């Protein structure tokens, strides 16, 4: 059984207080942060980039899990590694160089992950299993925090869990989009072991309490 990890997404934090808010979740036991990078082309929104990863790297020892929602991500792998990412996730829908890019990320000594949007069939992941350390299953259309989980996308999670279990690969399965205390258990039962939570952690007034609440539901 893989380790259970809650990955707060800094997209929902108060950027004027990011360092403090990160210290707060870390005091509650968090050591894994999700960073949503959006280019306004692959997704209809723009967020943050390498400078923020670089600042975070100086401020924390937590795992920096960088989710690239950008077109042709192969152009920016080196710069996100240099900035301090520990894991880089690319979308299978964002480029025709997914194989090469996953191999390249690993060759640089960090973890490689691939993501599918809710309408993408998990079948496309089969040939990629040997090249990834983590698979990210989106449960909202990527682009915005604070959306409601698309229930049907949990079927993708179940399929990905089956694919991984039937393979010989040791792959984490991350779920991202609309995760909160009401549905995190269901996502775990569907097969995820890494849970991104943006508004359910940094969108709450007490981020440490909110982080613990998600953990409690999973451990119950
Ligand atoms: C959506 C992002 C998510 C999002 C999560 O495009 O990839 O990581 O910020 O936020 P919540 O948990 O609020 O859906
Ligand atoms: Zn994300």
């Amino acid at each position: 059984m893989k380790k259970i990890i809650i990955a707060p997404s800094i997209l929902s934090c108060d950027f004027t207080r990011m360092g403090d808010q990160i210290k707060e979740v870390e005091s509650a036991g968090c050591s894994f942060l999700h960073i949503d990078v959006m280019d306004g082309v692959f997704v209809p929104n723009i967020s943050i980039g390498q400078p923020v990863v670089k600042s975070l790297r100086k401020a924390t020892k937590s795992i920096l899990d960088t989710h690239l929602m950008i077109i042709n991500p192969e152009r920016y792998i080196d710069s996100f590694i240099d900035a301090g990412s520990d894991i880089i996730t690319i979308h299978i829908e964002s480029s025709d160089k997914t194989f090469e890019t996953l191999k390249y990320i690993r060759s640089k000594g960090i973890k490689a992950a691939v993501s599918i949007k809710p309408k993408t069939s998990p079948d496309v992941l089969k040939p990629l299993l040997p090249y990834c350390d983590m698979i990210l299953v989106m449960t909202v259309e990527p682009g915005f925090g604070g959306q409601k989980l698309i229930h049907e996308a949990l079927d993708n999670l179940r399929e990905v869990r089956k694919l991984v279990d039937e393979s010989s690969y040791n792959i984490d399965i991350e779920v991202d989009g609309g995760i909160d205390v009401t549905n995190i258990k269901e996502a775990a039962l569907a097969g995820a072991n890494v849970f991104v939570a943006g508004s359910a952690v940094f969108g709450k007034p007490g981020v440490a309490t909110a982080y613990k609440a998600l953990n409690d539901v999973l451990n119950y």
Side-chain angles (χ1 to χ4, degrees), residues 9 11 34-38 65 67-69 91 136 138 142 174 176-177 196:
S9 165
L11 189 63
H34 185 82
I35 303 162
D36 286 307
V37 178
M38 304 178 183
D65 168 35
H67 179 192
L68 296 181
M69 287 164 276
H91 269 267
L136 168 51
M138 291 300 305
E174 183 175 44
D176 184 6
V196 176

Side-chain angles (χ1 to χ4, degrees), residues 35 37 42 66-70 73 76-77 80 88-91:
I35 303 162
V37 178
F42 181 66
T66 303
H67 179 192
L68 296 181
M69 287 164 276
I70 65 178
Y76 294 105
I77 301 303
F80 278 100
I88 294 184
T89 302
I90 55 171
H91 269 267

